[in-house]
């Protein structure tokens, strides 16, 4: 066992647009932003994850930061491969440069194309993986939440990540109907940036928009326990000088309204395509929210009001997909829904 386990490693990876989580031996060993920094001249990798994120927007002309994944899929193959390799190294999966034999299960969006699937597999292979299987994120989220996905019962999952909102109805180990919308956390950040520029004449960056979203982000304009106004720093669009303004949750609810309405419509469309017997199940079981977007204040209330169904937020929704991917890894040869 000792020598064999040294040469054979198994890891699960939630390859997310915003964050990538690596699970090894049932433990989260790496949770880093999906961003890399590199030298533009030599294309040499300089930093990955939190270190690269700290450099974002504050670098000299010779250094560039990039997020290799956009909309849940690989946008820059070379940098994605380097990022995967470096995250595996950071996770201390092996003391050597790369384990001789690495088995991986990777979470992917349900709306991914075969070409995009192949890009994920090839990036993992280039990073050293010998055996790779993929799992759709809504299925992984359902497993991570604790749902028995193999039972003959319908469950609806709404997984709102950084690049996509994955909406799926699951039964008997399969996705019966689904919708993948490329509106999620990144689009929320863009909405906030646009609102601040248009309504407040304040220019802010993505990192600041992310902080605003966490501090005062809301899906509804009336909260029982509203957060305090958040002091936001940026550049005045008129004078060009640094400026601070206070932002409240009602403003952010207004800024995010259109994007959230699109997700709501995606939920309604998926319900409309659900077979009647499974729709009856969902009436009883409700809708489960996962992903970072599930933490947006009032989102559960808004979807419940729109669908007239109970809405549940999973425990630790940020890692629901990662947990489910890890469970799928442990049952690598049993789950028929794992795809190559």
């Amino acid at each position: 066992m000792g020598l064999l386990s040294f040469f054979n490693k198994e890891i699960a990876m939630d390859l997310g647009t915003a964050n990538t989580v690596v699970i090894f031996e049932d433990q989260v060993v790496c949770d880093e932003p999906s961003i890399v920094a590199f030298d533009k001249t030599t294309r040499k990798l300089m930093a990955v994850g939190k270190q690269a994120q700290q450099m974002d927007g504050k670098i000299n002309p010779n250094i560039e930061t990039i997020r290799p994944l956009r909309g849940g899929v690989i946008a820059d193959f070379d940098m994605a491969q380097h990022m995967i390799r470096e995250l595996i190294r950071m996770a201390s999966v092996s003391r050597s440069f790369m384990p001789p034999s690495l088995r991986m299960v990777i979470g992917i969006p349900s709306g991914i194309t075969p070409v995009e699937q192949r890009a994920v597999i090839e990036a993992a292979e280039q990073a050293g993986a010998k055996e790779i299987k993929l799992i759709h994120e809504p299925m992984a989220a359902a497993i991570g939440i604790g749902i028995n996905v193999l039972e003959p019962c319908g469950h609806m999952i709404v997984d709102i990540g950084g690049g996509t909102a994955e909406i799926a109805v699951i039964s008997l180990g399969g996705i019966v109907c689904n919708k993948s919308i490329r509106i999620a956390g990144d689009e929320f950040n863009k909405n906030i940036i646009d609102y601040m520029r248009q309504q407040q004449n304040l220019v802010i960056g993505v990192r600041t928009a992310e902080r605003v979203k966490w501090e005062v982000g809301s899906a509804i304009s009336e909260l029982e326990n509203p957060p305090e106004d958040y002091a936001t720093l940026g550049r005045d669009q008129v004078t060009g000088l640094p400026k601070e303004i206070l932002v409240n949750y009602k403003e952010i609810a207004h800024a995010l309204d259109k994007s959230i309405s699109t997700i709501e419509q995606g939920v309604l469309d998926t319900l409309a395509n659900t077979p009647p017997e499974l729709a009856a199940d969902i009436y009883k079981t409700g809708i489960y929210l996962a992903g970072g977007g599930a933490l947006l204040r009032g989102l559960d209330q808004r979807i419940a009001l729109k669908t007239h169904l109970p809405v549940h937020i999973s425990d630790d929704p940020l890692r629901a997909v990662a947990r489910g991917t890890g469970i799928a890894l442990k049952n690598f040869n049993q789950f028929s829904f794992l795809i190559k």
Side-chain angles (χ1 to χ4, degrees):
M1 174 67 180
L3 184 61
L4 185 63
S5 64
F6 179 82
F7 286 106
N8 294 276
K9 304 294 182 180
E10 295 184 338
I11 68 170
M13 180 176 289
D14 173 16
L15 191 61
T17 304
N19 286 77
T20 295
V21 181
V22 178
I23 293 179
F24 177 59
E25 295 181 346
D26 296 330
Q27 299 293 324
V28 173
V29 292
C30 185
D31 186 351
E32 296 281 334
S34 301
I35 185 170
V36 299
F38 64 96
D39 188 300
K40 293 172 68 175
T41 305
T42 64
R43 297 285 291 181
K44 180 182 178 182
L45 195 69
M46 301 188 67
V48 170
K50 294 184 179 71
Q51 285 187 332
Q53 187 180 56
Q54 291 171 356
M55 298 165 69
D56 190 28
K58 300 181 179 181
I59 50 184
N60 64 55
N62 295 323
I63 302 173
E64 183 177 348
T65 56
I66 187 171
R67 291 172 63 177
L69 292 99
R70 295 186 197 128
V73 298
I74 292 176
D76 188 311
F77 181 85
D78 289 338
M79 287 301 152
Q81 176 236 310
H82 287 310
M83 184 184 75
I84 293 171
R85 185 191 296 273
E86 186 65 16
L87 290 177
I88 292 172
R89 187 195 65 77
M90 290 167 63
S92 299
V93 171
S94 173
R95 296 295 181 185
S96 62
F97 178 71
M98 184 61 59
S101 181
L102 187 64
R103 172 186 279 187
M104 293 181 68
V105 174
I106 303 174
I108 57 170
S110 59
I112 197 171
T113 66
V115 173
E116 291 165 340
Q117 284 184 25
R118 190 64 216 164
V120 173
I121 292 171
E122 288 181 0
E125 287 174 343
Q126 291 295 320
K130 305 301 181 185
E131 188 175 4
I132 305 152
K133 288 200 175 183
L134 310 177
I135 181 171
H136 287 133
E137 288 172 354
M139 183 68 76
I143 297 170
I145 289 169
I147 293 172
N148 181 2
V149 297
L150 301 177
E151 67 179 349
C153 180
H155 299 280
M156 173 169 264
I157 309 296
V158 180
D159 174 34
I160 306 173
T164 60
E166 305 287 325
I167 306 161
V169 174
I170 292 168
S171 179
L172 289 170
I175 294 178
V176 180
C177 53
N178 70 284
K179 195 174 185 71
S180 182
I181 303 171
R182 296 198 176 182
I183 292 179
D186 287 350
E187 188 66 19
F188 295 166
N189 292 342
K190 185 177 181 298
N191 294 156
I192 294 169
I193 290 170
D194 291 343
Y195 176 85
M196 299 298 284
R197 187 181 69 252
Q198 295 166 7
Q199 302 298 322
Q200 302 287 358
N201 286 325
L202 188 72
V203 181
I204 63 173
V206 174
R207 291 176 62 192
T208 300
E210 181 78 18
R211 286 196 295 271
V212 170
K213 182 176 66 179
W214 283 110
E215 295 292 339
V216 291
S218 176
I220 57 177
S221 57
E222 295 296 333
L223 291 172
E224 290 184 6
N225 298 301
E228 294 182 2
D229 294 354
Y230 181 65
T232 306
L233 294 167
R235 188 184 75 240
D236 190 294
Q237 190 170 229
V238 178
T239 66
L241 298 174
K243 179 181 176 181
E244 178 185 270
I245 65 167
L246 290 176
V247 182
N248 64 61
Y249 79 93
K250 293 186 177 183
E251 293 178 275
I252 305 306
H254 176 72
L256 302 181
D257 181 66
K258 187 175 180 180
S259 291
I260 294 172
S261 293
T262 302
I263 295 174
E264 283 180 329
Q265 189 58 50
V267 173
L268 294 175
D269 291 344
T270 305
L271 286 169
N273 292 322
T274 301
E277 293 296 335
L278 296 182
D281 292 335
I282 294 169
Y283 182 81
K284 294 182 289 185
T285 59
I287 299 171
Y288 295 87
L289 298 184
L295 297 173
L296 189 66
R297 297 171 184 84
L299 181 62
D300 55 336
Q301 299 173 47
R302 181 163 170 170
I303 293 176
L305 189 63
K306 193 76 172 181
T307 61
H308 305 290
L309 294 170
V311 178
H312 318 284
I313 300 175
S314 62
D315 295 332
D316 192 12
L318 280 166
R319 291 183 173 178
V321 172
R323 287 198 307 271
T325 305
I327 294 169
L329 174 66
K330 290 176 65 177
N331 300 274
F332 195 83
N333 297 316
Q334 297 177 24
F335 285 151
S336 61
F337 48 74
L338 290 176
I339 57 177
K340 175 64 191 265

